[in-house]
Amino acid sequence: MPTPSMEDYIEKIYSLIENKGYARVSDIAEELLVHPSSVTKMVQKLDKDEYLVYEKYRGLILTPKGKTVGKRLLERHALLECFLSVIGVEEAHIYEDVEGIEHHLSWNSIDRIGDVVQFFQENPDALDKLQSIRKNN
């Protein structure tokens, strides 16, 4: 299993490739607010662990393993953002809150959160009731 730091890199690389078609060390560094040398070190580790293939000065590509993990991590992030939005967390706090909790929840907890989000999406009356409770508190 990747460490939380590895997860952040895999998620960001997957997202960049999905959005731009490629992920360069400089792009990753800019997105994660780290030095390019830190990215190079992590990319080399991810290459060693078979999440991606990295060739110096030529870029990188995700392996099937890296794509699977990256997609799952991006989906986890989006689900947690949706969940926090549904329960009424202020938009300004959602991204940082997700970054703070996403690595500390089991996949079972993530799946149950998905069930809660689905429940509220399928039951707008229940969502209205939740919002009413929130307003009264």
Side-chain angles (χ1 to χ4, degrees), residues 85-89 129-137:
S85 178
V86 164
I87 64 172
V89 173
K129 191 169 186 177
L130 174 65
Q131 290 170 344
S132 175
I133 290 169
R134 204 179 84 244
K135 286 177 185 173
N136 290 331
N137 288 337

Side-chain angles (χ1 to χ4, degrees), residues 2 5 10 12 18-20 26-27 30 52 56 63 86 88 91 98 102 105 108 110-111 117 131 134:
S5 181
I10 295 168
K12 187 54 64 185
E18 286 293 302
N19 292 323
K20 295 174 72 172
S26 59
D27 297 323
E30 184 178 320
L52 56 81
K56 194 172 183 178
T63 62
V86 164
E91 187 71 29
V98 169
E102 67 183 336
L105 295 173
N108 181 258
I110 297 295
D111 290 341
V117 169
Q131 290 170 344
R134 204 179 84 244

Side-chain angles (χ1 to χ4, degrees), residues 44-79:
Q44 290 168 341
K45 179 165 180 40
L46 293 171
D47 183 9
K48 180 179 172 242
D49 291 347
E50 301 179 345
Y51 290 102
L52 56 81
V53 176
Y54 173 67
E55 294 180 26
K56 194 172 183 178
Y57 305 117
R58 294 185 60 119
L60 54 94
I61 59 168
L62 290 170
T63 62
K65 174 183 172 181
K67 287 179 185 175
T68 300
V69 172
K71 182 177 182 192
R72 176 93 168 149
L73 294 171
L74 200 61
E75 289 170 349
R76 173 184 71 184
H77 191 100
L79 174 65

